[in-house]
């Protein structure tokens, strides 16, 4: 190992998946030190993002499934996460290989699927501001503050009239917004909430297709404030800066007038914020913001329409470009994944075996990002589990080999004895030896 230049070892390790790197930490102290170094962790993550390697798609239904992006063939149920208890866990968001999991309002965690390092977040008490209000829908978001090197969870708790009064559209709601810092392990309440927040809630809008979970791009989380035609208010993109905990309204593109009503959704496409303009479920235009926060940088990337085997585009979300860049992977209606070639207007369904029938998808990249610098339990547990699996495989292979060898010897003895009996019965005049045999035993008299 000492004869191999350090730079070569470094470059080789950068190409490997996280699971292999976790195991290779035990090779030597220098290798362990290299893999644990923050510079290597960042380089490995950047390499995976740039090369589109070590990517998976998480399919979220009652259970969680992972699909390898390179193969896109088989879905594997994710059972090893800290909130697993027979299903019902949501993935709120994924950033740099960390996912934010929610099973209930009191059971949430940040988890690295690759290293299995986790942090269960204690839940701050939510205080109902008035007696005539009761708890309503809870909005979440998960993002990364690159300036403070901190991962944050945003929780917006809604309070509605207990008697069902008000306009029925959420205008009478109140909110409590708190931000959880993974680095500091504490919640902070946000004061001075914008009036626009009262427009956020609309019956069923955020429940359908899980629109209540913020989309992270450009150092901010984003939610769609749905249009209010009766008030003459169109769709708005509500942003929340992770760095300074401030709400803002993001400028939108100049949508095309196609003579149809439209609904806007927000997403992220390889790090860039995108909006999907859905014209009455017939056509969907996808716009991407090339320079974050700059209205003039909005660019219409492609339009999806006229796919014969899709009767209506109830919901469409772009996930990732293909490695050659000429196609984009789409989630359609929470039921299908398909490759769309926007130049040739051609679509092809991706058939994933073993996955759920309906789902919401989330892109995920493997990483070595640590949740707790001083806590190496996740690394150790992952290594122990991998060693246990390898040991079971080795024991199984040895057992199979031993049984096969015994079987071969037994079959050889039985065949030899059988040939002797056949020969004696066919040629009775030949003084052949008398063969007696039973399974595993052959005697010559």
């Amino acid at each position: 190992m000492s004869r191999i230049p350090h730079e070569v070892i470094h470059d080789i390790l950068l190409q490997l998946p996280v699971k292999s790197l976790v195991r290779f930490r035990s090779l030597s102290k220098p290798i362990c030190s290299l893999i644990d170094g923050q510079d290597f962790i960042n380089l490995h993550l950047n390499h995976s993002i740039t090369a589109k390697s070590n990517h998976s798609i998480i399919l979220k239904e009652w259970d969680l499934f992972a699909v390898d992006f390179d193969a896109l063939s088989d879905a594997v149920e994710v059972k090893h996460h800290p909130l697993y208890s027979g299903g019902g866990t949501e993935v709120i968001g994924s950033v740099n290989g960390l996912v934010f999991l929610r099973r209930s309002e009191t059971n949430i965690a940040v988890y690295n699927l690759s290293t299995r390092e986790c942090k269960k977040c204690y839940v701050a008490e939510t205080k109902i501001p008035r007696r005539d209000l009761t708890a309503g829908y809870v909005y979440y978001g998960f993002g990364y503050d690159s300036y403070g090197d901190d991962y944050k969870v945003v929780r917006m708790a809604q309070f509605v009239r207990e008697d069902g009064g008000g306009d029925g559209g959420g205008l009478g709601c109140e909110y409590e917004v708190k931000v959880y810092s993974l680095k500091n392990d504490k919640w902070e309440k946000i004061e001075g909430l914008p009036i626009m927040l009262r427009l956020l809630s609309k019956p069923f809008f955020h429940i359908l297709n899980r629109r209540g979970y913020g989309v992270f791009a450009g150092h901010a989380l984003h939610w769609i404030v749905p249009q209010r035609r009766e008030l003459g208010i169109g769709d708005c993109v509500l942003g929340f800066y992770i760095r300074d905990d401030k709400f803002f309204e993001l400028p939108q593109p100049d949508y095309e007038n196609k003579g149809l009503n439209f609904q806007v959704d927000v997403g992220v496409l390889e790090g860039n914020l995108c909006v999907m303009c859905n014209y009455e479920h017939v056509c969907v235009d996808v716009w991407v913001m090339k320079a974050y926060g700059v209205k003039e940088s909005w660019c219409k990337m492609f339009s999806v329409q006229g796919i014969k085997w899709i009767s209506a585009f109830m919901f469409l979300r772009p996930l990732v470009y293909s490695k050659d860049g000429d196609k984009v992977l789409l989630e359609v209606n929470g039921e299908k994944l398909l490759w769309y070639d926007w130049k040739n207007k051609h679509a092809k369904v991706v058939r994933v075996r073993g996955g759920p029938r309906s789902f919401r998808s989330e892109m995920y990249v493997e990483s070595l990002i640590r949740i707790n610098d001083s806590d190496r339990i996740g690394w150790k547990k992952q290594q122990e589990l991998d060693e246990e699996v390898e040991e079971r495989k080795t024991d199984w292979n040895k057992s199979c080999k031993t049984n096969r060898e015994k079987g071969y010897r037994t079959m050889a003895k039985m065949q030899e004895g059988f040939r002797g009996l056949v020969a004696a019965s066919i040629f009775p005049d030949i003084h052949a030896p008398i063969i007696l045999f039973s399974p595993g035993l052959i005697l010559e008299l």
Side-chain angles (χ1 to χ4, degrees):
M1 181 67 71
S2 60
R3 296 180 180 178
I4 303 176
H6 182 272
E7 294 77 10
V8 174
I9 297 175
H10 183 276
D11 291 343
I12 291 174
L13 293 177
L14 278 181
Q15 317 296 322
L16 299 179
V18 171
K19 185 176 180 180
S20 298
L21 292 173
V22 172
R23 294 178 58 194
F24 289 167
R25 291 178 70 254
S26 60
L27 288 177
S28 67
K29 288 185 178 180
I31 293 293
C32 180
S33 179
L34 172 62
I35 294 173
D36 284 355
Q38 192 60 50
D39 289 341
F40 180 84
I41 291 173
N42 294 336
L43 284 171
H44 183 269
L45 174 62
N46 292 333
H47 177 270
S48 296
I49 293 173
T50 304
K52 285 195 179 76
S53 60
N54 304 318
H55 278 60
S56 296
I57 301 173
I58 300 175
L59 304 181
K60 302 173 286 185
E61 191 216 24
W62 178 251
D63 297 310
L64 302 181
F65 297 84
V67 182
D68 180 69
F69 174 64
D70 288 331
L72 285 180
S73 58
D74 296 290
V76 179
E77 186 177 355
V78 180
K79 294 183 178 181
H80 55 70
H81 63 79
L83 304 187
Y84 180 78
S85 181
T89 300
E90 284 278 1
V91 174
I92 304 298
S94 172
V95 182
N96 295 342
L98 303 186
V99 295
F100 175 48
L101 303 175
R102 171 192 169 275
R103 182 168 175 79
S104 68
E105 303 309 330
T106 59
N107 198 2
I108 58 178
V110 177
Y111 185 53
N112 187 319
L113 286 173
S114 303
T115 65
R116 301 189 184 181
E117 189 176 348
C118 72
K119 171 71 174 180
K120 284 198 173 184
C121 312
Y122 84 92
V123 180
E125 181 183 1
T126 301
K127 295 181 180 180
I128 299 177
R130 301 198 314 263
R131 290 184 178 181
D132 62 331
L133 297 177
T134 187
Y137 188 80
V138 181
Y139 300 80
Y140 282 100
F142 180 57
Y144 174 60
D145 174 12
S146 59
Y147 296 97
D149 190 24
D150 192 11
Y151 292 85
K152 295 182 178 181
V153 175
V154 177
R155 186 184 71 182
M156 300 189 294
Q158 177 196 63
F159 305 105
V160 298
R161 288 271 297 273
E162 206 166 33
D163 57 5
D167 68 338
L171 295 181
C173 298
E174 293 195 19
Y175 288 86
E176 179 190 76
V177 179
K178 289 187 175 182
V179 177
Y180 174 78
S181 165
L182 186 65
K183 177 184 286 187
N184 301 321
D185 193 24
K186 67 178 183 178
W187 293 87
E188 289 189 2
K189 186 177 180 179
I190 306 301
E191 304 290 351
L193 304 181
I195 298 296
M196 187 189 300
L197 201 59
R198 292 179 175 269
L199 300 172
L200 183 62
S201 177
K202 190 176 182 180
F204 304 110
F205 178 79
H206 289 98
I207 296 176
L208 293 173
N209 300 300
R210 299 174 175 86
R211 291 184 175 101
Y213 301 156
V215 172
F216 181 70
H219 309 292
L221 287 162
H222 307 83
W223 294 265
I224 286 293
V225 178
Q227 58 190 250
R228 307 276 181 166
R229 293 176 186 170
E230 69 278 8
L231 300 177
I233 300 174
D235 297 288
C236 296
V237 179
L238 178 65
F240 181 83
Y241 276 121
I242 289 291
R243 180 185 182 185
D244 53 13
D245 299 338
K246 299 292 185 182
F247 283 99
F248 63 96
E249 182 180 350
L250 193 75
Q252 298 182 68
D254 296 322
Y255 302 114
E256 297 177 2
N257 184 2
K258 300 185 179 184
L260 299 171
N261 293 321
F262 61 84
Q263 170 66 58
V264 174
D265 280 300
V266 65
V268 61
L269 185 57
E270 298 197 357
N272 292 318
L273 187 72
C274 64
V275 292
M276 297 77 76
C277 187
N278 192 324
Y279 294 88
E280 296 186 1
H281 313 308
V282 175
C283 171
V284 181
D285 290 347
V286 177
W287 296 74
V288 173
M289 183 174 257
K290 295 297 185 67
Y292 185 78
V294 180
K295 177 180 174 61
E296 293 73 21
S297 71
W298 281 111
C299 176
K300 180 183 171 183
M301 297 301 294
F302 55 89
S303 182
V304 184
Q305 61 182 330
I307 300 178
K308 296 180 180 179
W309 31 270
I310 298 179
S311 58
F313 295 104
M314 304 304 295
F315 183 78
L316 182 146
R317 184 200 312 270
L319 298 176
V320 64
Y321 293 114
S322 60
K323 290 189 175 182
D324 55 19
D326 62 353
K327 296 183 290 293
V328 62
L329 187 65
L330 304 176
E331 174 198 335
V332 180
N333 299 341
E335 298 176 341
K336 291 181 175 66
L337 294 176
L338 59 89
W339 282 114
Y340 184 67
D341 182 342
W342 63 82
K343 293 180 181 178
N344 300 314
K345 308 296 183 185
H346 177 72
K348 181 181 179 181
V349 174
V350 176
R351 305 195 181 279
V352 178
R353 295 184 294 269
R357 292 187 177 182
S358 61
F359 53 84
R360 181 178 181 268
S361 51
E362 185 85 29
M363 289 302 301
Y364 170 79
V365 57
E366 292 183 12
S367 83
L368 294 159
I369 296 294
R370 295 192 294 264
I371 296 176
N372 302 303
D373 285 335
S374 60
D375 183 5
R376 311 303 295 168
I377 294 176
W379 292 95
K380 187 175 181 181
K381 185 176 181 182
Q382 172 70 38
Q383 187 173 348
E384 289 174 351
L385 287 169
D386 290 339
E387 289 174 353
E388 183 180 342
V389 170
E390 290 300 321
E391 187 176 342
R392 285 202 300 267
K393 286 182 180 179
T394 302
D395 292 343
W396 170 257
N397 291 334
K398 287 181 179 179
S399 176
C400 290
K401 183 178 180 180
T402 301
N403 291 335
R404 283 197 301 269
E405 290 174 350
K406 288 181 179 178
Y408 293 152
R409 288 195 297 269
T410 301
M411 287 298 297
K413 292 178 181 178
M414 292 176 66
Q415 289 172 359
E416 182 181 349
F418 182 73
R419 285 194 297 268
L421 285 179
V422 171
S425 62
I426 296 176
F427 306 104
D429 295 335
I430 297 177
H431 299 285
I434 300 174
I435 306 295
L436 299 179
F437 76 95
S438 62
L441 176 64
I442 299 180
L443 297 176
E444 181 178 307
L445 303 180

